[in-house]
CSV table of all heavy atoms in Angstrom, one decimal:
chain,number,residue,atom,x,y,z
A,866,MET,N,36.5,1.0,19.9
A,866,MET,CA,35.1,1.6,20.2
A,866,MET,C,34.2,1.1,19.1
A,866,MET,O,34.6,1.2,17.8
A,866,MET,CB,35.2,3.1,20.2
A,866,MET,CG,33.8,3.7,20.2
A,866,MET,SD,33.6,5.5,20.5
A,866,MET,CE,35.0,6.3,19.8
A,867,LYS,N,33.0,0.7,19.4
A,867,LYS,CA,32.0,0.2,18.4
A,867,LYS,C,31.2,1.4,18.1
A,867,LYS,O,30.7,2.3,18.9
A,867,LYS,CB,31.1,-0.8,19.1
A,867,LYS,CG,30.1,-1.4,18.2
A,867,LYS,CD,29.3,-2.5,18.9
A,867,LYS,CE,27.9,-1.9,19.3
A,867,LYS,NZ,27.1,-2.9,19.9
A,868,LEU,N,31.0,1.6,16.8
A,868,LEU,CA,30.2,2.8,16.3
A,868,LEU,C,28.9,2.2,15.7
A,868,LEU,O,28.9,1.2,15.0
A,868,LEU,CB,30.9,3.6,15.2
A,868,LEU,CG,32.2,4.3,15.7
A,868,LEU,CD1,32.9,5.0,14.6
A,868,LEU,CD2,31.8,5.4,16.7
A,869,THR,N,27.8,2.9,15.9
A,869,THR,CA,26.5,2.5,15.4
A,869,THR,C,25.9,3.7,14.7
A,869,THR,O,25.9,4.9,15.2
A,869,THR,CB,25.6,2.1,16.5
A,869,THR,OG1,26.3,1.0,17.2
A,869,THR,CG2,24.3,1.5,16.1
A,870,LEU,N,25.2,3.5,13.6
A,870,LEU,CA,24.5,4.5,12.8
A,870,LEU,C,23.1,4.4,13.2
A,870,LEU,O,22.5,3.3,13.1
A,870,LEU,CB,24.8,4.2,11.3
A,870,LEU,CG,24.3,5.3,10.3
A,870,LEU,CD1,25.2,6.5,10.5
A,870,LEU,CD2,24.5,4.8,8.9
A,871,ILE,N,22.5,5.6,13.6
A,871,ILE,CA,21.0,5.5,14.0
A,871,ILE,C,20.3,6.6,13.2
A,871,ILE,O,20.9,7.6,12.8
A,871,ILE,CB,20.9,5.7,15.5
A,871,ILE,CG1,21.5,7.0,15.9
A,871,ILE,CG2,21.5,4.5,16.2
A,871,ILE,CD1,21.2,7.3,17.3
A,872,ILE,N,19.0,6.5,13.1
A,872,ILE,CA,18.2,7.4,12.5
A,872,ILE,C,17.0,7.8,13.3
A,872,ILE,O,16.4,6.9,13.9
A,872,ILE,CB,17.5,6.9,11.1
A,872,ILE,CG1,18.7,6.5,10.1
A,872,ILE,CG2,16.6,7.9,10.5
A,872,ILE,CD1,18.3,5.8,9.0
A,873,ASP,N,16.9,9.1,13.5
A,873,ASP,CA,15.8,9.7,14.3
A,873,ASP,C,14.6,9.9,13.4
A,873,ASP,O,14.6,10.9,12.7
A,873,ASP,CB,16.3,11.1,15.0
A,873,ASP,CG,15.2,11.6,15.9
A,873,ASP,OD1,14.0,11.3,15.8
A,873,ASP,OD2,15.4,12.5,16.6
A,874,ARG,N,13.7,9.0,13.4
A,874,ARG,CA,12.4,9.1,12.5
A,874,ARG,C,11.6,10.3,12.8
A,874,ARG,O,10.8,10.7,12.0
A,874,ARG,CB,11.7,7.8,12.6
A,874,ARG,CG,12.5,6.6,12.0
A,874,ARG,CD,11.7,5.3,12.2
A,874,ARG,NE,10.5,5.3,11.6
A,874,ARG,CZ,10.2,4.6,10.4
A,874,ARG,NH1,11.1,3.8,9.9
A,874,ARG,NH2,8.9,4.5,10.0
A,875,GLU,N,11.7,10.9,13.9
A,875,GLU,CA,10.9,12.1,14.3
A,875,GLU,C,11.5,13.3,13.6
A,875,GLU,O,10.7,14.2,13.2
A,875,GLU,CB,10.9,12.4,15.8
A,875,GLU,CG,10.3,11.3,16.7
A,875,GLU,CD,8.8,11.2,16.4
A,875,GLU,OE1,8.1,12.3,16.3
A,875,GLU,OE2,8.2,10.1,16.3
A,876,ARG,N,12.8,13.4,13.4
A,876,ARG,CA,13.4,14.5,12.7
A,876,ARG,C,13.4,14.3,11.2
A,876,ARG,O,13.6,15.2,10.4
A,876,ARG,CB,14.8,14.6,13.2
A,876,ARG,CG,14.9,15.0,14.6
A,876,ARG,CD,16.3,15.3,15.0
A,876,ARG,NE,16.7,16.7,14.5
A,876,ARG,CZ,17.6,17.4,15.0
A,876,ARG,NH1,18.4,16.9,15.9
A,876,ARG,NH2,17.8,18.7,14.6
A,877,CYS,N,13.5,13.0,10.7
A,877,CYS,CA,13.6,12.7,9.3
A,877,CYS,C,12.4,13.2,8.5
A,877,CYS,O,11.4,12.9,8.8
A,877,CYS,CB,13.9,11.2,9.2
A,877,CYS,SG,14.0,10.7,7.3
A,878,TYR,N,12.7,13.9,7.4
A,878,TYR,CA,11.6,14.2,6.5
A,878,TYR,C,11.8,13.6,5.1
A,878,TYR,O,11.3,14.1,4.1
A,878,TYR,CB,11.3,15.8,6.3
A,878,TYR,CG,12.5,16.6,6.0
A,878,TYR,CD1,13.0,16.7,4.7
A,878,TYR,CD2,13.1,17.4,7.0
A,878,TYR,CE1,14.0,17.6,4.4
A,878,TYR,CE2,14.1,18.2,6.8
A,878,TYR,CZ,14.6,18.4,5.5
A,878,TYR,OH,15.6,19.2,5.2
A,879,LYS,N,12.5,12.5,5.0
A,879,LYS,CA,12.5,11.5,3.9
A,879,LYS,C,13.0,12.2,2.6
A,879,LYS,O,12.5,11.9,1.6
A,879,LYS,CB,11.2,10.9,3.7
A,879,LYS,CG,10.5,10.2,4.8
A,879,LYS,CD,9.3,9.4,4.4
A,879,LYS,CE,8.2,9.8,5.3
A,879,LYS,NZ,6.9,9.2,5.0
A,880,SER,N,14.1,13.0,2.7
A,880,SER,CA,14.6,13.6,1.6
A,880,SER,C,15.4,12.6,0.7
A,880,SER,O,15.4,12.7,-0.5
A,880,SER,CB,15.6,14.7,1.9
A,880,SER,OG,16.8,14.1,2.4
A,881,GLY,N,15.9,11.5,1.2
A,881,GLY,CA,16.6,10.4,0.6
A,881,GLY,C,18.0,10.6,0.3
A,881,GLY,O,18.7,9.8,-0.3
A,882,GLU,N,18.5,11.8,0.7
A,882,GLU,CA,19.9,12.1,0.4
A,882,GLU,C,20.8,10.9,1.0
A,882,GLU,O,21.8,10.6,0.4
A,882,GLU,CB,20.3,13.4,1.1
A,882,GLU,CG,19.7,14.6,0.4
A,882,GLU,CD,20.3,14.8,-1.0
A,882,GLU,OE1,21.4,14.6,-1.3
A,882,GLU,OE2,19.4,15.1,-1.9
A,883,CYS,N,20.5,10.5,2.2
A,883,CYS,CA,21.4,9.4,2.8
A,883,CYS,C,21.5,8.2,2.0
A,883,CYS,O,22.6,7.6,1.7
A,883,CYS,CB,20.9,9.1,4.2
A,883,CYS,SG,19.2,8.5,4.3
A,884,TYR,N,20.3,7.6,1.5
A,884,TYR,CA,20.4,6.4,0.8
A,884,TYR,C,20.8,6.5,-0.6
A,884,TYR,O,21.4,5.6,-1.2
A,884,TYR,CB,19.1,5.4,1.0
A,884,TYR,CG,17.8,6.1,0.8
A,884,TYR,CD1,17.4,6.2,-0.5
A,884,TYR,CD2,17.1,6.5,1.8
A,884,TYR,CE1,16.1,6.7,-0.7
A,884,TYR,CE2,15.9,7.0,1.7
A,884,TYR,CZ,15.3,7.1,0.3
A,884,TYR,OH,14.1,7.7,0.2
A,885,TYR,N,20.5,7.6,-1.2
A,885,TYR,CA,21.0,7.9,-2.6
A,885,TYR,C,22.5,8.0,-2.6
A,885,TYR,O,23.1,7.5,-3.6
A,885,TYR,CB,20.4,9.2,-3.2
A,885,TYR,CG,18.9,9.1,-3.5
A,885,TYR,CD1,18.0,10.2,-3.1
A,885,TYR,CD2,18.3,8.1,-4.1
A,885,TYR,CE1,16.7,10.1,-3.4
A,885,TYR,CE2,17.0,8.0,-4.4
A,885,TYR,CZ,16.2,9.0,-4.0
A,885,TYR,OH,14.8,9.0,-4.3
A,886,ASN,N,23.1,8.7,-1.6
A,886,ASN,CA,24.4,8.8,-1.7
A,886,ASN,C,25.3,7.7,-1.0
A,886,ASN,O,26.5,7.7,-1.2
A,886,ASN,CB,24.8,10.3,-0.9
A,886,ASN,CG,24.4,11.4,-1.8
A,886,ASN,OD1,24.8,11.6,-2.9
A,886,ASN,ND2,23.5,12.2,-1.2
A,887,HIS,N,24.6,7.0,-0.1
A,887,HIS,CA,25.3,5.9,0.6
A,887,HIS,C,24.5,4.6,0.7
A,887,HIS,O,24.1,4.2,1.6
A,887,HIS,CB,25.6,6.5,2.1
A,887,HIS,CG,26.4,7.8,2.1
A,887,HIS,ND1,27.7,7.8,1.7
A,887,HIS,CD2,26.0,9.0,2.2
A,887,HIS,CE1,28.1,9.1,1.8
A,887,HIS,NE2,27.0,9.8,2.1
A,888,PRO,N,24.3,4.1,-0.6
A,888,PRO,CA,23.4,2.9,-0.6
A,888,PRO,C,24.1,1.6,0.0
A,888,PRO,O,23.4,0.6,0.3
A,888,PRO,CB,23.3,2.7,-2.1
A,888,PRO,CG,24.6,3.3,-2.8
A,888,PRO,CD,24.8,4.5,-1.8
A,889,ASP,N,25.4,1.6,0.3
A,889,ASP,CA,26.0,0.5,1.0
A,889,ASP,C,25.5,0.4,2.5
A,889,ASP,O,25.5,-0.6,3.1
A,889,ASP,CB,27.4,0.5,1.0
A,889,ASP,CG,28.0,0.2,-0.5
A,889,ASP,OD1,27.2,-0.4,-1.2
A,889,ASP,OD2,29.1,0.5,-0.7
A,890,LEU,N,25.2,1.6,3.1
A,890,LEU,CA,24.8,1.7,4.4
A,890,LEU,C,23.3,1.8,4.7
A,890,LEU,O,22.8,1.4,5.7
A,890,LEU,CB,25.4,3.0,5.1
A,890,LEU,CG,26.9,3.0,5.2
A,890,LEU,CD1,27.4,4.3,5.8
A,890,LEU,CD2,27.5,1.8,5.9
A,891,LEU,N,22.6,2.4,3.8
A,891,LEU,CA,21.2,2.8,3.9
A,891,LEU,C,20.4,2.4,2.8
A,891,LEU,O,21.0,2.4,1.6
A,891,LEU,CB,21.0,4.2,4.3
A,891,LEU,CG,21.8,4.7,5.6
A,891,LEU,CD1,22.7,5.8,5.2
A,891,LEU,CD2,20.9,5.1,6.7
A,892,HIS,N,19.0,2.2,3.0
A,892,HIS,CA,18.2,2.0,1.8
A,892,HIS,C,16.8,2.6,2.3
A,892,HIS,O,16.5,2.8,3.5
A,892,HIS,CB,18.1,0.5,1.4
A,892,HIS,CG,17.4,-0.3,2.5
A,892,HIS,ND1,16.1,-0.7,2.5
A,892,HIS,CD2,18.0,-0.9,3.5
A,892,HIS,CE1,15.9,-1.4,3.5
A,892,HIS,NE2,17.0,-1.6,4.2
A,893,MET,N,15.9,2.8,1.3
A,893,MET,CA,14.6,3.3,1.6
A,893,MET,C,13.7,2.1,2.1
A,893,MET,O,13.6,1.1,1.4
A,893,MET,CB,14.0,3.9,0.4
A,893,MET,CG,12.6,4.6,0.7
A,893,MET,SD,11.9,5.5,-0.6
A,893,MET,CE,11.5,4.2,-1.8
A,894,GLY,N,13.1,2.3,3.2
A,894,GLY,CA,12.1,1.4,3.7
A,894,GLY,C,10.8,1.4,3.0
A,894,GLY,O,10.5,2.4,2.3
A,895,ALA,N,10.0,0.5,3.2
A,895,ALA,CA,8.6,0.4,2.7
A,895,ALA,C,7.8,1.6,3.0
A,895,ALA,O,6.8,2.1,2.1
A,895,ALA,CB,7.9,-0.9,3.1
A,896,ASP,N,8.0,2.3,4.1
A,896,ASP,CA,7.3,3.4,4.6
A,896,ASP,C,7.9,4.8,4.1
A,896,ASP,O,7.5,5.8,4.4
A,896,ASP,CB,7.1,3.5,6.0
A,896,ASP,CG,8.5,3.4,6.8
A,896,ASP,OD1,9.5,3.4,6.2
A,896,ASP,OD2,8.4,3.5,8.0
A,897,GLY,N,9.0,4.7,3.3
A,897,GLY,CA,9.7,5.9,2.8
A,897,GLY,C,10.7,6.4,3.7
A,897,GLY,O,11.5,7.3,3.2
A,898,PHE,N,10.9,5.9,4.9
A,898,PHE,CA,11.9,6.4,5.7
A,898,PHE,C,13.2,5.5,5.4
A,898,PHE,O,13.1,4.4,5.0
A,898,PHE,CB,11.6,6.1,7.2
A,898,PHE,CG,10.7,7.1,7.7
A,898,PHE,CD1,9.4,6.9,7.9
A,898,PHE,CD2,11.1,8.4,8.2
A,898,PHE,CE1,8.4,7.8,8.3
A,898,PHE,CE2,10.3,9.3,8.8
A,898,PHE,CZ,9.0,9.0,8.8
A,899,PRO,N,14.4,6.1,5.6
A,899,PRO,CA,15.6,5.4,5.4
A,899,PRO,C,15.8,4.3,6.5
A,899,PRO,O,15.3,4.5,7.6
A,899,PRO,CB,16.7,6.4,5.6
A,899,PRO,CG,16.1,7.5,6.3
A,899,PRO,CD,14.6,7.5,6.0
A,900,GLU,N,16.3,3.1,6.1
A,900,GLU,CA,16.7,2.1,7.1
A,900,GLU,C,18.2,1.8,6.9
A,900,GLU,O,18.7,1.9,5.9
A,900,GLU,CB,15.9,0.9,6.7
A,900,GLU,CG,14.4,1.1,6.9
A,900,GLU,CD,13.6,-0.2,6.6
A,900,GLU,OE1,14.2,-1.2,6.1
A,900,GLU,OE2,12.4,-0.2,6.9
A,901,VAL,N,18.8,1.5,8.1
A,901,VAL,CA,20.1,1.2,8.1
A,901,VAL,C,20.4,-0.2,7.7
A,901,VAL,O,19.8,-1.1,8.3
A,901,VAL,CB,20.7,1.5,9.6
A,901,VAL,CG1,22.2,1.1,9.7
A,901,VAL,CG2,20.5,2.9,10.0
A,902,LYS,N,21.3,-0.5,6.8
A,902,LYS,CA,21.7,-1.8,6.4
A,902,LYS,C,22.7,-2.4,7.3
A,902,LYS,O,22.8,-3.6,7.6
A,902,LYS,CB,22.2,-1.8,5.0
A,902,LYS,CG,21.2,-1.6,3.9
A,902,LYS,CD,22.0,-1.7,2.5
A,902,LYS,CE,21.1,-1.5,1.3
A,902,LYS,NZ,21.9,-1.6,0.2
A,903,MET,N,23.6,-1.5,7.7
A,903,MET,CA,24.8,-1.9,8.5
A,903,MET,C,24.9,-1.1,9.7
A,903,MET,O,25.3,0.0,9.8
A,903,MET,CB,26.1,-1.6,7.6
A,903,MET,CG,27.5,-2.0,8.3
A,903,MET,SD,28.9,-1.4,7.3
A,903,MET,CE,28.6,-2.0,5.7
A,904,THR,N,24.3,-1.6,10.8
A,904,THR,CA,24.2,-0.9,12.0
A,904,THR,C,25.5,-0.7,12.7
A,904,THR,O,25.9,0.3,13.2
A,904,THR,CB,23.3,-1.5,13.0
A,904,THR,OG1,23.6,-2.9,13.2
A,904,THR,CG2,21.8,-1.4,12.5
A,905,VAL,N,26.4,-1.8,12.7
A,905,VAL,CA,27.7,-1.6,13.4
A,905,VAL,C,28.7,-1.2,12.3
A,905,VAL,O,28.8,-2.0,11.4
A,905,VAL,CB,28.1,-2.9,14.1
A,905,VAL,CG1,29.4,-2.8,14.7
A,905,VAL,CG2,27.1,-3.3,15.2
A,906,ILE,N,29.3,-0.1,12.5
A,906,ILE,CA,30.3,0.4,11.5
A,906,ILE,C,31.7,-0.1,12.0
A,906,ILE,O,32.2,0.4,13.0
A,906,ILE,CB,30.2,2.0,11.5
A,906,ILE,CG1,28.8,2.5,11.3
A,906,ILE,CG2,31.2,2.5,10.5
A,906,ILE,CD1,28.1,2.0,10.0
A,907,ALA,N,32.3,-1.0,11.2
A,907,ALA,CA,33.5,-1.6,11.6
A,907,ALA,C,34.7,-1.1,10.9
A,907,ALA,O,35.8,-0.9,11.4
A,907,ALA,CB,33.4,-3.1,11.6
A,908,SER,N,34.6,-1.0,9.5
A,908,SER,CA,35.8,-0.7,8.8
A,908,SER,C,35.9,0.8,8.6
A,908,SER,O,35.1,1.6,8.9
A,908,SER,CB,35.7,-1.3,7.4
A,908,SER,OG,34.7,-0.6,6.6
A,909,ASP,N,37.2,1.2,8.3
A,909,ASP,CA,37.5,2.6,8.1
A,909,ASP,C,36.6,3.2,6.9
A,909,ASP,O,36.1,4.3,7.1
A,909,ASP,CB,39.0,2.8,7.8
A,909,ASP,CG,39.9,2.6,9.0
A,909,ASP,OD1,39.3,2.6,10.1
A,909,ASP,OD2,41.0,2.3,8.7
A,910,ARG,N,36.5,2.4,5.9
A,910,ARG,CA,35.7,2.9,4.7
A,910,ARG,C,34.2,3.1,5.1
A,910,ARG,O,33.5,4.1,4.8
A,910,ARG,CB,35.7,1.8,3.7
A,910,ARG,CG,34.9,2.1,2.4
A,910,ARG,CD,35.3,3.2,1.6
A,910,ARG,NE,34.5,3.5,0.5
A,910,ARG,CZ,34.4,4.6,-0.2
A,910,ARG,NH1,35.3,5.6,0.2
A,910,ARG,NH2,33.6,4.8,-1.1
A,911,ALA,N,33.7,2.1,5.9
A,911,ALA,CA,32.2,2.3,6.5
A,911,ALA,C,32.2,3.5,7.4
A,911,ALA,O,31.2,4.2,7.4
A,911,ALA,CB,31.9,1.1,7.1
A,912,ARG,N,33.1,3.7,8.1
A,912,ARG,CA,33.2,4.9,9.1
A,912,ARG,C,33.1,6.2,8.3
A,912,ARG,O,32.4,7.1,8.6
A,912,ARG,CB,34.4,4.8,9.9
A,912,ARG,CG,34.4,6.0,10.9
A,912,ARG,CD,35.6,6.0,11.8
A,912,ARG,NE,35.5,4.8,12.6
A,912,ARG,CZ,36.2,4.6,13.8
A,912,ARG,NH1,37.1,5.5,14.1
A,912,ARG,NH2,36.0,3.5,14.4
A,913,LEU,N,33.9,6.3,7.2
A,913,LEU,CA,33.9,7.5,6.3
A,913,LEU,C,32.5,7.6,5.7
A,913,LEU,O,32.0,8.8,5.7
A,913,LEU,CB,35.0,7.4,5.2
A,913,LEU,CG,35.0,8.5,4.2
A,913,LEU,CD1,35.4,9.8,4.9
A,913,LEU,CD2,36.0,8.2,3.1
A,914,GLU,N,32.0,6.6,5.1
A,914,GLU,CA,30.6,6.6,4.5
A,914,GLU,C,29.6,7.1,5.6
A,914,GLU,O,28.7,7.9,5.3
A,914,GLU,CB,30.2,5.3,3.9
A,914,GLU,CG,31.0,4.8,2.7
A,914,GLU,CD,30.5,5.6,1.5
A,914,GLU,OE1,29.2,5.8,1.4
A,914,GLU,OE2,31.3,5.9,0.7
A,915,ALA,N,29.7,6.6,6.7
A,915,ALA,CA,28.7,6.9,7.7
A,915,ALA,C,28.8,8.4,8.2
A,915,ALA,O,27.9,9.1,8.4
A,915,ALA,CB,28.9,6.0,9.1
A,916,GLN,N,30.1,8.9,8.3
A,916,GLN,CA,30.3,10.3,8.6
A,916,GLN,C,29.7,11.1,7.5
A,916,GLN,O,29.1,12.2,7.8
A,916,GLN,CB,31.8,10.5,8.9
A,916,GLN,CG,32.2,9.9,10.1
A,916,GLN,CD,33.8,10.0,10.2
A,916,GLN,OE1,34.4,10.1,9.3
A,916,GLN,NE2,34.2,10.0,11.5
A,917,GLN,N,29.9,10.7,6.3
A,917,GLN,CA,29.4,11.5,5.1
A,917,GLN,C,27.8,11.6,5.1
A,917,GLN,O,27.2,12.5,4.8
A,917,GLN,CB,29.9,11.0,3.8
A,917,GLN,CG,31.3,11.3,3.7
A,917,GLN,CD,32.0,10.7,2.5
A,917,GLN,OE1,31.4,9.7,1.9
A,917,GLN,NE2,33.2,11.0,2.1
A,918,ALA,N,27.2,10.4,5.5
A,918,ALA,CA,25.8,10.2,5.5
A,918,ALA,C,25.2,11.2,6.6
A,918,ALA,O,24.2,11.8,6.4
A,918,ALA,CB,25.3,8.8,5.8
A,919,VAL,N,25.9,11.3,7.8
A,919,VAL,CA,25.5,12.3,8.8
A,919,VAL,C,25.5,13.7,8.3
A,919,VAL,O,24.6,14.4,8.4
A,919,VAL,CB,26.4,12.1,10.1
A,919,VAL,CG1,26.2,13.2,11.1
A,919,VAL,CG2,26.2,10.7,10.8
A,920,GLU,N,26.6,14.0,7.6
A,920,GLU,CA,26.8,15.4,7.2
A,920,GLU,C,25.8,15.8,6.0
A,920,GLU,O,25.4,16.9,5.9
A,920,GLU,CB,28.2,15.6,6.6
A,920,GLU,CG,29.2,15.5,7.7
A,920,GLU,CD,30.7,15.4,7.1
A,920,GLU,OE1,30.9,15.6,5.9
A,920,GLU,OE2,31.6,15.2,8.0
A,921,VAL,N,25.5,14.8,5.2
A,921,VAL,CA,24.6,15.0,3.9
A,921,VAL,C,23.0,15.2,4.5
A,921,VAL,O,22.3,15.8,3.7
A,921,VAL,CB,24.7,14.0,2.9
A,921,VAL,CG1,24.1,12.8,3.2
A,921,VAL,CG2,24.2,14.6,1.5
A,922,CYS,N,22.7,14.7,5.6
A,922,CYS,CA,21.3,14.7,6.0
A,922,CYS,C,20.8,16.1,6.3
A,922,CYS,O,21.2,16.8,7.2
A,922,CYS,CB,21.1,13.8,7.2
A,922,CYS,SG,19.4,13.8,7.8
A,923,PRO,N,19.8,16.6,5.5
A,923,PRO,CA,19.4,17.9,5.6
A,923,PRO,C,18.6,18.3,6.9
A,923,PRO,O,18.5,19.3,7.4
A,923,PRO,CB,18.6,18.3,4.4
A,923,PRO,CG,18.1,16.9,3.9
A,923,PRO,CD,19.2,15.9,4.4
A,924,SER,N,18.0,17.1,7.5
A,924,SER,CA,17.2,17.3,8.7
A,924,SER,C,18.0,16.9,10.0
A,924,SER,O,17.4,17.0,11.0
A,924,SER,CB,16.0,16.5,8.6
A,924,SER,OG,16.3,15.1,8.6
A,925,GLN,N,19.3,16.7,9.8
A,925,GLN,CA,20.2,16.2,10.9
A,925,GLN,C,19.6,15.1,11.7
A,925,GLN,O,19.7,15.1,13.0
A,925,GLN,CB,20.5,17.4,11.8
A,925,GLN,CG,21.1,18.5,11.0
A,925,GLN,CD,21.5,19.8,11.8
A,925,GLN,OE1,20.8,20.0,12.8
A,925,GLN,NE2,22.5,20.5,11.4
A,926,ALA,N,19.0,14.1,11.0
A,926,ALA,CA,18.3,13.0,11.6
A,926,ALA,C,19.2,11.8,11.8
A,926,ALA,O,18.8,10.7,12.4
A,926,ALA,CB,17.0,12.6,10.9
A,927,ILE,N,20.4,11.8,11.3
A,927,ILE,CA,21.3,10.6,11.3
A,927,ILE,C,22.4,11.0,12.3
A,927,ILE,O,23.0,12.1,12.3
A,927,ILE,CB,21.9,10.4,9.9
A,927,ILE,CG1,20.8,10.1,8.9
A,927,ILE,CG2,22.8,9.1,10.0
A,927,ILE,CD1,21.2,9.9,7.5
A,928,ALA,N,22.8,10.0,13.1
A,928,ALA,CA,23.8,10.2,14.0
A,928,ALA,C,24.7,8.9,14.0
A,928,ALA,O,24.3,7.8,13.9
A,928,ALA,CB,23.3,10.4,15.4
A,929,LEU,N,26.0,9.1,14.3
A,929,LEU,CA,26.9,8.0,14.4
A,929,LEU,C,27.3,8.1,15.9
A,929,LEU,O,27.9,9.0,16.4
A,929,LEU,CB,28.1,8.3,13.5
A,929,LEU,CG,29.2,7.2,13.5
A,929,LEU,CD1,28.5,5.9,12.9
A,929,LEU,CD2,30.3,7.6,12.5
A,930,VAL,N,27.0,7.0,16.7
A,930,VAL,CA,27.2,7.1,18.1
A,930,VAL,C,28.2,5.9,18.5
A,930,VAL,O,28.1,4.8,17.8
A,930,VAL,CB,26.0,7.0,18.9
A,930,VAL,CG1,25.1,8.2,18.7
A,930,VAL,CG2,25.2,5.7,18.5
A,931,GLY,N,29.0,6.1,19.4
A,931,GLY,CA,29.9,5.1,20.0
A,931,GLY,C,29.7,4.7,21.4
A,931,GLY,O,29.2,5.5,22.2
A,932,ASP,N,29.9,3.5,21.7
A,932,ASP,CA,29.9,3.1,23.1
A,932,ASP,C,31.3,2.7,23.5
A,932,ASP,O,32.1,2.0,22.9
A,932,ASP,CB,28.9,1.9,23.3
A,932,ASP,CG,29.5,0.6,22.7
A,932,ASP,OD1,30.6,0.5,22.5
A,932,ASP,OD2,28.6,-0.4,22.6
A,933,ASP,N,31.8,3.4,24.5
A,933,ASP,CA,33.1,3.3,25.0
A,933,ASP,C,33.3,2.1,25.9
A,933,ASP,O,32.6,1.8,26.7
A,933,ASP,CB,33.6,4.6,25.7
A,933,ASP,CG,33.5,5.7,24.8
A,933,ASP,OD1,33.8,5.6,23.6
A,933,ASP,OD2,33.1,6.9,25.2
């Protein structure tokens, strides 16, 4: 299954928790919103990091979705 990390910019309030804690996956964009560096999550390590990024987001704006 292919997993993809997505950010809901409508829900995000730019706390920065995601990219401060998971800089391999996300970074701050020019507008202050987080941007995904690695959209397709392939390795086990990246999957763990992505799941942690979802959990650390205070606005619940990050999701890890799969296409079956």
Side-chain angles (χ1 to χ4, degrees):
M866 171 176 25
K867 180 176 110 179
L868 294 174
T869 305
L870 193 63
I871 58 170
I872 299 170
D873 181 344
R874 291 173 63 106
E875 296 292 318
R876 294 185 81 157
C877 178
Y878 53 76
K879 304 186 234 181
S880 72
E882 292 294 322
C883 58
Y884 51 81
Y885 289 134
N886 290 300
H887 304 286
D889 290 339
L890 295 179
L891 303 125
H892 66 97
M893 182 175 69
D896 58 1
F898 282 99
E900 293 181 352
V901 178
K902 289 182 180 179
M903 181 188 309
T904 52
V905 176
I906 307 302
S908 71
D909 289 339
R910 176 72 180 156
R912 180 179 294 198
L913 176 62
E914 289 281 324
Q916 289 170 336
Q917 290 172 346
V919 169
E920 291 170 9
V921 76
C922 180
S924 63
Q925 299 176 339
I927 302 173
L929 187 59
V930 296
D932 72 16
D933 299 324

